[in-house]
Amino acid sequence: MATSVPAGGRCGYFVEKKRRFCRMVAASGKRFCGEHAAAAEEENARKRILCPLDPKHTVYEDQLAKHLKKCNSREKPKPDFFIQDINAGLKDETELPEILVPLSSLSEEQLENLIKKLRKASEGLNSTLPDRIMSHPALHDALNDPKNGDSATKHLKQQASILGNIEKLKLLGPRRCFVEFGAGKGKLSHWVDIALKDAENVHFILVEKGTTRFKVDGKHRKKNSVFERLQIDIQHLCLNKISVLREGTLPVVGIGKHLCGVATDLALRCLLETCAVHHEERHGEPMAKRVKNSETERESHTVAREGCDNSAPEMQSPVAGIVLALCCHHRCDWRHYVGQEHFRALGLGATEFHYFQRMSSWATCGMRKTVGSSNTTPRRQEQEQEREDEGEEHEIGGCRATDDSDGLLGLLSVEEKKKIGHLCKLLIDHGRTQYLQQKGFSPALQYYTDPLVSLENVLLTALPNPFSPPETIV
């Protein structure tokens, strides 16, 4: 309820939009707070201006220089592991397509030609991936907690299956560095740590470009494992500049749950190009040729091969394995895509890729109930909005891509669009598996969770070539 006078010691500025007085504390002897002091020229002749770093707040004009040095929005010094665009990929701007029209603006003939190209390029690809829906004892109690809601249960099922696949690939063990890309709250690393129990010398690096609420990594106090969070875009991350990886004594395991579109390609480059190149530079020879001459080095690579073929060559990539749950192909970008060479070999380029990644959203969009449906309570709507604000909309069974194909509804049925969307996803992912093969890895694609849990249910795994993951799909 609005009051006719401000509270004692509070600012006397009336905020029309909120229909109440400002609640900021005014300085002793002053009527207004610093933000609203300009509203009373008789009390304060100094002029306040918008901060050039963040126009959401103001500053006294005569104190601007001093403010810019301490403003929270100022650019912070870059850490050693920040190298501009190190994982960006394409450098030649001439290879990028010109401004392209949306799908809804394509003619029927243009759309048919795109679909023909898609089907021709996908010939021979197995569109039915194997099911690798697994679980892990570490999550048994959490999965059976009666307090869980639907959303929590879906997240736990996905995390349990990813953890089960990590263990099946024999990547779950001591003396490793797990790098979680797109870590968010850090839940996946949390469960890996729980599963490892008292395993020795385990390091977790959680990579997330945005600020995240309710992080769980800060709660871990185990003496045998260390959690390190990096707030950085994967595009600029050089793993070998991080102290724990600088010496190369810990095999790296790259993991991620719902790594959106382009982030998957950036993560693969970060692991297989940046990491490998800097490893070679550090030791002076390529990994495949360098001869080990110390017991410590021999042990580190023996650990990476635990449970695998003992006849494999000693020298391996510093990356022991990759387990990434894929997501949001409509957010891919040709500039960063690792499968460019594969697309070119099929007679495709940036233009086709642009439309294929847009059509990939047909596989999932519109498949979940709208937030405003009649059986959705206001509280439920609020909870869904909170999850979307935290960037988790793709984890609750859909995506927020703008489906700009309304004009095509008369040409394609819903089922046809869904099949085409899945084919686009498969082709994009196949380009990634080809890239992994070129880098000396054995990749596999599999379904790791039921589509009722998440429509984004494909897991990409890879192990260095001497290892053979079960039923590799290429």
Side-chain angles (χ1 to χ4, degrees), residues 171-223:
L171 295 173
L172 200 63
R175 297 183 296 281
R176 283 168 169 76
C177 180
F178 292 90
V179 182
E180 183 179 356
F181 295 96
K185 298 174 185 177
K187 287 286 186 69
L188 183 56
S189 291
H190 164 79
W191 290 115
V192 171
D193 186 50
I194 297 296
L196 287 171
K197 298 180 180 179
D198 295 321
E200 296 182 353
N201 196 12
V202 179
H203 201 102
F204 292 90
I205 298 175
L206 280 65
V207 182
E208 176 59 56
K209 70 176 180 180
T211 56
T212 306
R213 298 182 296 169
F214 313 121
K215 297 185 286 288
V216 298
D217 40 291
K219 300 178 181 179
H220 291 267
R221 296 291 183 269
K222 287 167 60 176
K223 63 180 181 180

Coordinates of all heavy atoms in Angstrom, one line a residue, residues 171-223:
L171 N 36.2 -45.1 -17.9 CA 36.8 -43.7 -17.7 C 36.6 -43.3 -16.3 O 37.1 -42.2 -15.9 CB 36.1 -42.7 -18.7 CG 36.3 -43.0 -20.2 CD1 35.5 -42.0 -21.0 CD2 37.8 -42.8 -20.5
L172 N 35.9 -44.0 -15.5 CA 35.6 -43.7 -14.1 C 36.7 -44.3 -13.2 O 36.6 -45.5 -12.9 CB 34.2 -44.1 -13.7 CG 33.6 -43.5 -12.5 CD1 33.3 -42.0 -12.8 CD2 32.2 -44.2 -12.2
G173 N 37.7 -43.5 -12.8 CA 38.7 -44.1 -12.0 C 39.6 -43.0 -11.4 O 39.4 -41.8 -11.6
P174 N 40.6 -43.3 -10.6 CA 41.5 -42.4 -10.0 C 42.5 -41.7 -10.9 O 42.6 -42.1 -12.1 CB 42.2 -43.2 -8.9 CG 42.3 -44.6 -9.6 CD 41.0 -44.7 -10.3
R175 N 43.1 -40.7 -10.5 CA 44.2 -40.0 -11.2 C 43.7 -39.5 -12.6 O 44.3 -39.9 -13.6 CB 45.4 -40.8 -11.3 CG 46.0 -41.2 -10.0 CD 47.3 -42.0 -10.1 NE 47.1 -43.3 -10.6 CZ 46.6 -44.3 -10.0 NH1 46.3 -44.2 -8.7 NH2 46.5 -45.5 -10.6
R176 N 42.6 -38.7 -12.6 CA 42.1 -38.2 -13.8 C 41.7 -36.8 -13.6 O 41.4 -36.3 -12.5 CB 40.8 -39.0 -14.3 CG 41.2 -40.4 -14.9 CD 39.9 -41.2 -15.1 NE 40.1 -42.4 -15.9 CZ 40.8 -43.5 -15.5 NH1 41.2 -43.5 -14.3 NH2 40.9 -44.5 -16.4
C177 N 41.5 -36.1 -14.7 CA 41.0 -34.7 -14.7 C 39.7 -34.7 -15.5 O 39.8 -34.9 -16.7 CB 42.0 -33.7 -15.2 SG 41.3 -32.0 -15.2
F178 N 38.6 -34.5 -14.9 CA 37.3 -34.4 -15.6 C 37.0 -33.0 -15.9 O 36.9 -32.1 -15.0 CB 36.2 -35.0 -14.7 CG 36.3 -36.5 -14.5 CD1 37.0 -37.0 -13.4 CD2 35.7 -37.4 -15.4 CE1 37.1 -38.4 -13.2 CE2 35.8 -38.8 -15.2 CZ 36.5 -39.3 -14.1
V179 N 36.8 -32.7 -17.2 CA 36.5 -31.3 -17.6 C 35.0 -31.3 -18.0 O 34.6 -32.0 -19.0 CB 37.3 -30.9 -18.8 CG1 37.0 -29.4 -19.2 CG2 38.8 -31.0 -18.4
E180 N 34.1 -30.7 -17.2 CA 32.7 -30.6 -17.6 C 32.4 -29.3 -18.3 O 32.6 -28.2 -17.7 CB 31.9 -30.7 -16.3 CG 30.4 -30.7 -16.6 CD 29.5 -30.8 -15.4 OE1 30.0 -30.9 -14.3 OE2 28.2 -30.7 -15.6
F181 N 32.1 -29.4 -19.6 CA 31.7 -28.3 -20.4 C 30.3 -27.9 -20.2 O 29.4 -28.8 -20.2 CB 32.1 -28.6 -21.9 CG 33.5 -28.8 -22.2 CD1 34.1 -30.1 -22.2 CD2 34.4 -27.7 -22.4 CE1 35.4 -30.3 -22.5 CE2 35.7 -27.9 -22.6 CZ 36.2 -29.2 -22.7
G182 N 30.0 -26.6 -20.2 CA 28.6 -26.2 -20.0 C 28.1 -26.7 -18.6 O 27.0 -27.3 -18.5
A183 N 28.9 -26.5 -17.6 CA 28.7 -27.2 -16.3 C 27.4 -26.7 -15.6 O 26.9 -27.5 -14.8 CB 29.9 -27.0 -15.4
G184 N 27.0 -25.5 -15.8 CA 25.9 -25.0 -15.1 C 26.1 -25.1 -13.6 O 27.1 -24.6 -13.0
K185 N 25.2 -25.8 -12.9 CA 25.3 -25.9 -11.4 C 26.4 -26.9 -11.0 O 26.8 -27.0 -9.8 CB 24.0 -26.4 -10.8 CG 22.9 -25.4 -11.0 CD 21.5 -26.0 -10.6 CE 20.4 -25.0 -10.9 NZ 19.1 -25.6 -10.5
G186 N 26.9 -27.7 -12.0 CA 27.9 -28.7 -11.7 C 27.4 -30.0 -11.2 O 28.1 -30.8 -10.5
K187 N 26.1 -30.3 -11.5 CA 25.5 -31.6 -11.0 C 26.2 -32.8 -11.5 O 26.4 -33.8 -10.8 CB 24.0 -31.6 -11.3 CG 23.2 -30.6 -10.5 CD 23.0 -31.2 -9.1 CE 22.1 -30.3 -8.2 NZ 20.7 -30.4 -8.7
L188 N 26.6 -32.8 -12.8 CA 27.2 -34.0 -13.4 C 28.5 -34.3 -12.7 O 28.8 -35.5 -12.3 CB 27.4 -33.8 -14.9 CG 27.9 -35.0 -15.7 CD1 27.1 -36.3 -15.5 CD2 28.0 -34.7 -17.2
S189 N 29.4 -33.3 -12.5 CA 30.6 -33.6 -11.8 C 30.4 -34.0 -10.4 O 31.1 -34.8 -9.8 CB 31.5 -32.3 -11.9 OG 31.9 -32.0 -13.1
H190 N 29.3 -33.5 -9.8 CA 29.0 -33.9 -8.4 C 28.7 -35.4 -8.3 O 29.3 -36.0 -7.4 CB 27.7 -33.1 -8.0 CG 27.0 -33.6 -6.8 ND1 27.4 -33.4 -5.5 CD2 25.9 -34.5 -6.7 CE1 26.6 -34.0 -4.7 NE2 25.7 -34.7 -5.4
W191 N 28.0 -35.9 -9.3 CA 27.7 -37.3 -9.2 C 28.9 -38.2 -9.6 O 29.1 -39.3 -9.1 CB 26.5 -37.7 -10.1 CG 25.2 -37.1 -9.6 CD1 24.4 -36.2 -10.1 CD2 24.6 -37.5 -8.3 NE1 23.3 -35.9 -9.3 CE2 23.4 -36.7 -8.2 CE3 24.9 -38.4 -7.3 CZ2 22.6 -36.8 -7.1 CZ3 24.1 -38.5 -6.2 CH2 22.9 -37.7 -6.1
V192 N 29.7 -37.7 -10.5 CA 31.0 -38.4 -10.8 C 31.8 -38.5 -9.6 O 32.4 -39.6 -9.2 CB 31.7 -37.7 -11.9 CG1 33.1 -38.3 -12.1 CG2 31.0 -37.8 -13.3
D193 N 31.9 -37.4 -8.8 CA 32.7 -37.4 -7.6 C 32.1 -38.4 -6.6 O 32.8 -39.1 -5.9 CB 32.7 -36.0 -7.0 CG 33.6 -35.8 -5.8 OD1 34.8 -36.3 -5.9 OD2 33.2 -35.3 -4.8
I194 N 30.8 -38.4 -6.4 CA 30.1 -39.3 -5.5 C 30.5 -40.8 -5.9 O 30.8 -41.6 -5.1 CB 28.6 -39.1 -5.5 CG1 28.2 -37.7 -5.0 CG2 27.9 -40.2 -4.7 CD1 28.6 -37.5 -3.5
A195 N 30.4 -41.1 -7.2 CA 30.7 -42.4 -7.7 C 32.1 -42.8 -7.5 O 32.4 -44.0 -7.3 CB 30.3 -42.5 -9.2
L196 N 33.0 -41.9 -7.5 CA 34.5 -42.2 -7.3 C 34.8 -42.5 -5.9 O 35.9 -43.0 -5.6 CB 35.3 -41.0 -7.9 CG 35.3 -40.9 -9.4 CD1 36.0 -39.6 -9.8 CD2 36.0 -42.1 -10.0
K197 N 33.9 -42.1 -5.0 CA 34.2 -42.4 -3.5 C 35.5 -41.8 -3.1 O 35.7 -40.6 -3.1 CB 34.1 -43.9 -3.2 CG 32.7 -44.4 -3.5 CD 32.6 -45.9 -3.2 CE 31.2 -46.5 -3.5 NZ 31.1 -47.9 -3.3
D198 N 36.5 -42.6 -2.7 CA 37.7 -42.1 -2.2 C 38.9 -42.3 -3.2 O 40.0 -42.4 -2.8 CB 38.1 -42.8 -0.9 CG 37.1 -42.5 0.2 OD1 36.6 -41.4 0.3 OD2 36.8 -43.5 1.0
A199 N 38.5 -42.2 -4.5 CA 39.6 -42.4 -5.5 C 40.6 -41.2 -5.4 O 40.2 -40.1 -5.1 CB 39.0 -42.3 -6.9
E200 N 41.9 -41.5 -5.5 CA 42.9 -40.6 -5.3 C 43.2 -39.7 -6.5 O 43.0 -40.1 -7.7 CB 44.2 -41.3 -4.9 CG 44.1 -42.1 -3.6 CD 45.5 -42.8 -3.3 OE1 46.4 -42.7 -4.2 OE2 45.6 -43.3 -2.2
N201 N 43.6 -38.5 -6.2 CA 44.1 -37.5 -7.2 C 43.1 -37.3 -8.4 O 43.4 -37.6 -9.5 CB 45.5 -38.0 -7.8 CG 46.2 -36.9 -8.5 OD1 45.8 -35.7 -8.4 ND2 47.2 -37.3 -9.3
V202 N 41.9 -36.8 -8.0 CA 40.9 -36.6 -9.0 C 40.7 -35.1 -9.0 O 40.4 -34.4 -8.0 CB 39.6 -37.3 -8.7 CG1 38.5 -36.9 -9.8 CG2 39.8 -38.8 -8.7
H203 N 40.7 -34.5 -10.2 CA 40.5 -33.0 -10.4 C 39.3 -32.8 -11.3 O 39.2 -33.5 -12.3 CB 41.8 -32.4 -11.0 CG 41.9 -30.9 -10.7 ND1 42.7 -30.4 -9.7 CD2 41.2 -29.9 -11.2 CE1 42.6 -29.1 -9.7 NE2 41.7 -28.7 -10.6
F204 N 38.5 -31.8 -10.9 CA 37.3 -31.4 -11.7 C 37.5 -30.0 -12.2 O 37.7 -29.1 -11.3 CB 36.0 -31.6 -10.9 CG 35.6 -33.0 -10.6 CD1 36.1 -33.6 -9.4 CD2 34.9 -33.8 -11.5 CE1 35.7 -34.9 -9.1 CE2 34.5 -35.1 -11.2 CZ 35.0 -35.6 -10.0
I205 N 37.3 -29.8 -13.5 CA 37.3 -28.4 -14.0 C 36.0 -28.2 -14.6 O 35.5 -28.8 -15.5 CB 38.4 -28.2 -15.1 CG1 39.8 -28.4 -14.5 CG2 38.3 -26.8 -15.7 CD1 40.9 -28.4 -15.5
L206 N 35.2 -27.2 -14.0 CA 33.9 -26.9 -14.5 C 33.9 -25.6 -15.3 O 34.2 -24.6 -14.8 CB 32.9 -26.8 -13.3 CG 32.4 -28.1 -12.6 CD1 33.6 -28.9 -12.0 CD2 31.4 -27.8 -11.5
V207 N 33.5 -25.8 -16.6 CA 33.6 -24.6 -17.5 C 32.2 -24.1 -17.8 O 31.3 -24.9 -18.2 CB 34.2 -25.1 -18.8 CG1 34.3 -23.9 -19.8 CG2 35.6 -25.7 -18.6
E208 N 31.9 -22.9 -17.5 CA 30.6 -22.3 -17.7 C 30.8 -20.8 -17.9 O 31.5 -20.1 -17.2 CB 29.7 -22.5 -16.5 CG 28.4 -21.8 -16.5 CD 27.5 -22.3 -17.7 OE1 27.3 -23.5 -17.8 OE2 27.2 -21.4 -18.5
K209 N 30.3 -20.3 -19.0 CA 30.5 -18.9 -19.4 C 29.7 -17.9 -18.6 O 30.0 -16.7 -18.5 CB 30.4 -18.6 -20.9 CG 28.9 -18.7 -21.4 CD 28.9 -18.4 -22.9 CE 27.4 -18.4 -23.4 NZ 27.4 -18.1 -24.8
G210 N 28.5 -18.4 -18.1 CA 27.6 -17.5 -17.4 C 27.7 -17.7 -15.9 O 28.3 -18.6 -15.4
T211 N 27.2 -16.7 -15.1 CA 27.1 -16.8 -13.7 C 26.0 -17.8 -13.4 O 25.0 -17.8 -14.1 CB 26.8 -15.5 -13.0 OG1 25.6 -14.9 -13.6 CG2 28.0 -14.5 -13.2
T212 N 26.1 -18.6 -12.4 CA 25.2 -19.7 -12.1 C 24.8 -19.7 -10.6 O 25.7 -19.6 -9.8 CB 25.8 -21.1 -12.4 OG1 26.2 -21.1 -13.8 CG2 24.7 -22.2 -12.3
R213 N 23.5 -19.8 -10.4 CA 23.0 -19.9 -9.0 C 23.0 -21.3 -8.5 O 22.9 -22.2 -9.3 CB 21.6 -19.2 -8.9 CG 21.6 -17.8 -9.3 CD 20.1 -17.2 -9.1 NE 19.2 -17.9 -10.0 CZ 17.9 -17.7 -10.0 NH1 17.3 -17.1 -9.0 NH2 17.1 -18.3 -10.9
F214 N 23.0 -21.5 -7.2 CA 22.8 -22.8 -6.6 C 23.9 -23.8 -7.1 O 23.6 -25.0 -7.3 CB 21.4 -23.4 -6.9 CG 20.3 -22.4 -6.7 CD1 19.4 -22.0 -7.7 CD2 20.1 -21.7 -5.4 CE1 18.4 -21.1 -7.5 CE2 19.1 -20.8 -5.2 CZ 18.3 -20.5 -6.2
K215 N 25.1 -23.3 -7.2 CA 26.2 -24.2 -7.6 C 26.4 -25.3 -6.5 O 26.3 -25.0 -5.3 CB 27.5 -23.4 -7.8 CG 27.4 -22.5 -9.0 CD 28.7 -21.8 -9.3 CE 29.0 -20.7 -8.2 NZ 28.2 -19.6 -8.3
V216 N 26.8 -26.5 -6.9 CA 27.0 -27.6 -5.9 C 28.5 -27.9 -5.7 O 28.8 -28.6 -4.8 CB 26.2 -28.9 -6.3 CG1 24.7 -28.6 -6.3 CG2 26.7 -29.4 -7.7
D217 N 29.3 -27.5 -6.6 CA 30.7 -27.8 -6.5 C 31.4 -27.2 -5.3 O 32.4 -27.8 -4.8 CB 31.5 -27.4 -7.8 CG 31.1 -26.0 -8.3 OD1 29.9 -25.9 -8.8 OD2 31.9 -25.1 -8.2
G218 N 30.9 -26.1 -4.8 CA 31.5 -25.5 -3.6 C 31.3 -26.3 -2.3 O 31.9 -26.0 -1.3
K219 N 30.3 -27.3 -2.4 CA 30.0 -28.0 -1.2 C 30.9 -29.2 -1.0 O 30.8 -29.9 0.1 CB 28.5 -28.5 -1.3 CG 27.5 -27.4 -1.4 CD 26.1 -27.9 -1.6 CE 25.1 -26.8 -1.7 NZ 23.7 -27.2 -1.9
H220 N 31.8 -29.5 -1.9 CA 32.6 -30.7 -1.8 C 33.8 -30.4 -1.0 O 34.5 -29.4 -1.2 CB 33.0 -31.2 -3.2 CG 31.9 -31.8 -4.0 ND1 31.6 -33.1 -4.0 CD2 31.0 -31.2 -4.8 CE1 30.5 -33.3 -4.7 NE2 30.1 -32.2 -5.3
R221 N 34.1 -31.3 0.0 CA 35.3 -31.1 0.9 C 36.1 -32.4 0.9 O 36.9 -32.6 1.9 CB 34.7 -30.8 2.3 CG 34.0 -29.4 2.3 CD 35.0 -28.3 2.1 NE 34.3 -27.0 2.3 CZ 33.7 -26.3 1.3 NH1 33.8 -26.8 0.0 NH2 33.2 -25.1 1.5
K222 N 36.0 -33.3 -0.1 CA 36.8 -34.5 0.0 C 38.3 -34.1 -0.3 O 38.6 -33.3 -1.2 CB 36.3 -35.4 -1.1 CG 35.0 -36.1 -0.8 CD 34.4 -36.8 -2.0 CE 35.3 -37.9 -2.5 NZ 34.7 -38.6 -3.6
K223 N 39.2 -34.7 0.5 CA 40.6 -34.4 0.4 C 41.2 -34.9 -0.9 O 42.3 -34.4 -1.3 CB 41.3 -34.9 1.6 CG 41.3 -36.4 1.7 CD 42.1 -36.8 3.0 CE 42.1 -38.4 3.1 NZ 42.9 -38.8 4.3

